[in-house]
Amino acid sequence: GAVVSQHPSRVICKSGTSVKIECRSLDFQATTMFWYRQFPKQSLMLMATSNEGSKATYEQGVEKDKFLINHASLTLSTLTVTSAHPEDSSFYICSARDLAGGHTEAFFGQGTRLTVV
Amino acid sequence: AQSVTQLGSHVSVSEGALVLLRCNYSSSVPPYLFWYVQYPNQGLQLLLKYTSAATLVKGINGFEAEFKKSETSFHLTKPSAHMSDAAEYFCAAGLMGNQFYFGTGTSLTVIP
C-alpha cells in the first residue's frame, strides 16, 4: 500500500516558538492531505484539509493563523504551529488517500507528539 | 450526512476470548468502511476495509468484520484475543470523495 511519512515523531518546544511538521506521500501523489489533532484517549479531530496549490480548508473553530498549512507539492504538506502555547500540546496526525492508485483507504503518518513547555 | 458510531469506548476481554467491537454508520449511500488500530504514540494502521465486494472481510492479525446493510453495521471481531491486541480501534467511513469520518474509538484491554 501507499506510504505516508510524518516528521518529526516527537518535538518539544518552548512557549512562543513555532514548530513545523512535515507530511510526505512517499510513493503516490496526494492532491489532498488531512491534518488531525488527537487528545489523549480521544478520537481524531479533523483540523484542516490541505489542497495542493491552493489554500487549506479549515474546520470550524480551528485558527488559521495559528495552524499554518502549506501544500506546495503533490507529495508534501506542512503544518506549522505558530507561537505555540502549552495548550497546543497534542498528538498531530496527517493522512492522505491514493484514490488514483485504486486505494479507498486513508494512509496515515506516524503522528507527531508536540509538547510545549 | 455521514456519521460513525462506536458503541462502547472501553472493552475488556480475557486472553483467548472473543473480541467484538461495534460500529454503526449512517448514510443514505453505503460508504466504504474501515477499521484502524492505533498503538500508543503511533499513527493509524489499517486492519481491514469494506469496498462493496464481499460482505465478510478478513483483515490482518486474525480480525474480520461483516458488513450488514440492513443493520448499517460493520462490527469487528476476532475469535481469540491476544495480549498484543490491546490498543485503540477506530471505525471509519468514507465515500469516493476525500472526506473520512471516524468513530470515537474503542479502547481494547486484554486481561491475562
Side-chain angles (χ1 to χ4, degrees):
Chain A
V3 177
V4 173
S5 178
Q6 189 174 340
H7 178 81
S9 58
R10 290 178 179 271
V11 59
I12 301 173
C13 71
K14 291 185 177 180
S15 187
T17 62
S18 296
V19 173
K20 180 184 285 188
I21 303 170
E22 293 187 348
C23 182
R24 294 179 184 274
S25 58
L26 295 187
D27 50 0
F28 68 101
Q29 294 182 332
T31 56
T32 304
M33 290 186 177
F34 304 92
W35 288 96
Y36 296 87
R37 182 173 181 175
Q38 186 179 31
F39 293 99
K41 305 296 184 183
Q42 294 190 28
S43 188
L44 285 76
M45 180 191 78
L46 180 64
M47 298 174 65
T49 301
S50 172
N51 305 297
E52 187 270 333
S54 65
K55 292 183 178 180
T57 304
Y58 289 82
E59 296 298 302
Q60 190 172 7
V62 178
E63 298 178 59
K64 301 178 182 181
D65 296 331
K66 173 70 151 177
F67 300 100
L68 299 179
I69 291 173
N70 183 276
H71 195 154
S73 78
L74 286 170
T75 59
L76 174 64
S77 175
T78 61
L79 168 67
T80 301
V81 183
T82 62
S83 186
H85 290 284
E87 58 265 30
D88 299 324
S89 299
S90 192
F91 194 60
Y92 294 88
I93 307 176
C94 68
S95 79
R97 294 176 82 180
D98 180 20
L99 296 175
H103 298 286
T104 55
E105 67 268 37
F107 297 95
F108 289 84
Q110 304 93 320
T112 298
R113 171 69 63 190
L114 171 63
T115 303
V116 184
V117 298
Chain B
Q2 284 271 8
S3 74
V4 177
T5 303
Q6 288 182 244
L7 291 177
S9 58
H10 299 277
V11 171
S12 294
V13 299
S14 297
E15 189 174 16
L18 172 71
V19 176
L20 171 60
L21 305 182
R22 300 178 186 275
C23 174
N24 289 87
Y25 68 93
S26 67
S27 172
S28 58
V29 176
Y32 298 124
L33 295 164
F34 311 88
W35 274 100
Y36 286 87
V37 61
Q38 184 182 32
Y39 298 100
N41 291 310
Q42 295 187 28
L44 276 66
Q45 179 184 4
L46 182 69
L47 277 178
L48 48 80
K49 61 182 178 181
Y50 166 75
T51 56
S52 74
T55 56
L56 181 61
V57 181
K58 294 186 183 298
I60 63 172
N61 300 340
F63 284 93
E64 61 182 38
E66 185 172 9
F67 171 73
K68 292 186 177 180
K69 185 177 178 180
S70 61
E71 299 178 6
T72 61
S73 69
F74 190 57
H75 301 331
L76 181 71
T77 61
K78 181 173 180 177
S80 176
H82 192 273
M83 295 299 294
S84 61
D85 294 328
E88 191 80 18
Y89 292 81
F90 292 97
C91 181
L95 294 175
M96 277 307 294
N98 280 302
Q99 182 58 287
F100 242 52
Y101 300 88
F102 285 95
T104 50
T106 299
S107 177
L108 176 65
T109 300
V110 181
I111 303 167

